[in-house]
Amino acid sequence: MIGRIIGAATRAGLVALLFALPAIILPSVSEDVVHIVLLFAIFASLLVFIEYASTAPSFIEFRHAPPFNRLRFLAIFFTVFALSVIARGEVAPNAFTAFLHALGIIVGDAIDFPYSPVRLMVIMLPDNATPELIKEVRTASGLSYLISLMTLAVFYFFVRVLEWPARNGAFNVWINLPLFDPTAGGDVLPRLQRDGRLNIALGFLMPFLIPAIIQMMSDLIDPIYLSDPMTMIWTISAWAFIPASMIMRGIAMTRVANMIDENRRRAYAASRGVHPVSSAA
């Protein structure tokens, strides 16, 4: 009980730090922005604390299947941190800000080809955007996209090479997938496979769809002004993190479906006295 509360408090503190990170790193932040950031940090940390302090999960998936959520948190944390450092370098440059800025420029220029996600983020900017703003958006988009791709590569390594989540012991599908209703109808196996493939497909499409949707909605509502550092940090971080998180969820659900299918094959073969042939994970 005490260990669970300490772990929940630690996670809540890290989530609060994540929300407060841009306000801490950026040299000049207005008092109103600090109050809003503090409100979001407290609200998010309370949600995380309540979730991890309870015995059974309610909305956080794969809570007992590390390092799924740890990789996702590290991805968004490093993205927000890197973009905040780059934004700070515009006012108070140093060697570290210059290094991240140069890395973002290299990656952004490499990915900025026709119809690429980075090019669509640049096109999303209004016609009166300054060359400096276009360069900043390209740099931030390239670096955040690189972090998301690295996160996907690490998670794929855990799934394919380290056989996640089987290496952690027994895997309880219903505890680790609290939002998945097994009684909704039909066999859970094809439903898991369908949801997994849908998440992967949407994850691949979202970096292309989000800029297009924002650009179309700018005619109806006030456009997002990426010239504000705080707005740019969170907008581009969400643009890179949400699709990567959906792809990770799709890969995880597909992996769980394969594990269920393999266990069914073993049980069927054992009931008939036949040596089971393991399927590919």
Side-chain angles (χ1 to χ4, degrees):
M1 178 67 180
I2 296 177
R4 186 168 67 247
I5 293 177
I6 293 176
T10 302
R11 290 175 172 87
L14 290 174
V15 171
L17 176 62
L18 168 65
F19 278 88
L21 201 57
I24 294 173
I25 295 177
L26 294 178
S28 58
V29 180
S30 65
E31 187 175 349
D32 293 337
V33 172
V34 172
H35 291 162
I36 295 173
V37 168
L38 182 61
L39 180 64
F40 274 100
I42 293 175
F43 179 72
S45 61
L46 283 177
L47 282 180
V48 172
F49 178 79
I50 294 172
E51 172 72 10
Y52 277 92
S54 61
T55 305
S58 58
F59 66 93
I60 296 182
E61 297 182 323
F62 300 102
R63 205 180 87 175
H64 299 284
F68 182 84
N69 289 319
R70 297 172 187 176
L71 286 176
R72 293 201 302 177
F73 176 81
L74 289 176
I76 186 64
F77 185 89
F78 282 127
T79 301
V80 173
F81 174 75
L83 299 190
S84 301
V85 170
I86 291 176
R88 179 183 177 85
E90 300 294 329
V91 180
N94 55 42
F96 186 56
T97 60
F99 167 75
L100 287 181
H101 190 266
L103 179 61
I105 291 176
I106 294 173
V107 177
D109 291 341
I111 304 178
D112 185 16
F113 52 86
Y115 305 107
S116 70
V118 174
R119 174 65 62 86
L120 293 178
M121 284 294 291
V122 173
I123 295 176
M124 180 193 70
L125 296 173
D127 297 333
N128 59 352
T130 62
E132 291 77 13
L133 178 59
I134 294 175
K135 183 178 179 181
E136 291 174 6
V137 171
R138 182 186 295 113
T139 300
S141 301
L143 190 57
S144 60
Y145 205 67
L146 174 65
I147 294 174
S148 66
L149 292 178
M150 292 175 61
T151 304
L152 289 175
V154 172
F155 181 65
Y156 188 77
F157 174 81
F158 271 94
V159 172
R160 298 296 298 181
V161 178
L162 301 182
E163 297 182 350
W164 177 94
R167 64 190 298 267
N168 298 323
F171 181 83
N172 191 316
V173 176
W174 317 130
I175 291 180
N176 284 288
L177 290 172
L179 302 179
F180 182 81
D181 185 8
T183 62
D187 189 2
V188 296
L189 182 59
R191 288 173 53 210
L192 281 172
Q193 292 173 337
R194 180 196 61 203
D195 291 352
R197 292 165 185 164
L198 180 62
N199 275 269
I200 293 175
L202 288 177
F204 276 112
L205 289 176
M206 282 188 69
F208 302 91
L209 294 177
I210 291 176
I213 293 174
I214 293 176
Q215 190 174 24
M216 288 187 297
M217 292 181 62
S218 63
D219 297 332
L220 304 176
I221 60 176
D222 292 335
I224 297 176
Y225 294 100
L226 296 183
S227 57
D228 178 66
M230 193 76 72
T231 303
M232 184 179 67
I233 289 169
W234 287 111
T235 300
I236 296 182
S237 297
W239 165 78
F241 170 75
I242 293 176
S245 179
M246 292 185 66
I247 294 175
M248 287 179 61
R249 185 175 186 269
I251 294 174
M253 296 184 76
T254 304
R255 168 63 175 162
V256 171
N258 290 338
M259 291 174 60
I260 294 175
D261 183 51
E262 190 171 321
N263 288 335
R264 286 182 177 181
R265 291 175 183 271
R266 289 199 189 100
Y268 179 74
S271 65
R272 300 189 60 181
V274 180
H275 183 72
V277 178
S278 61
S279 60

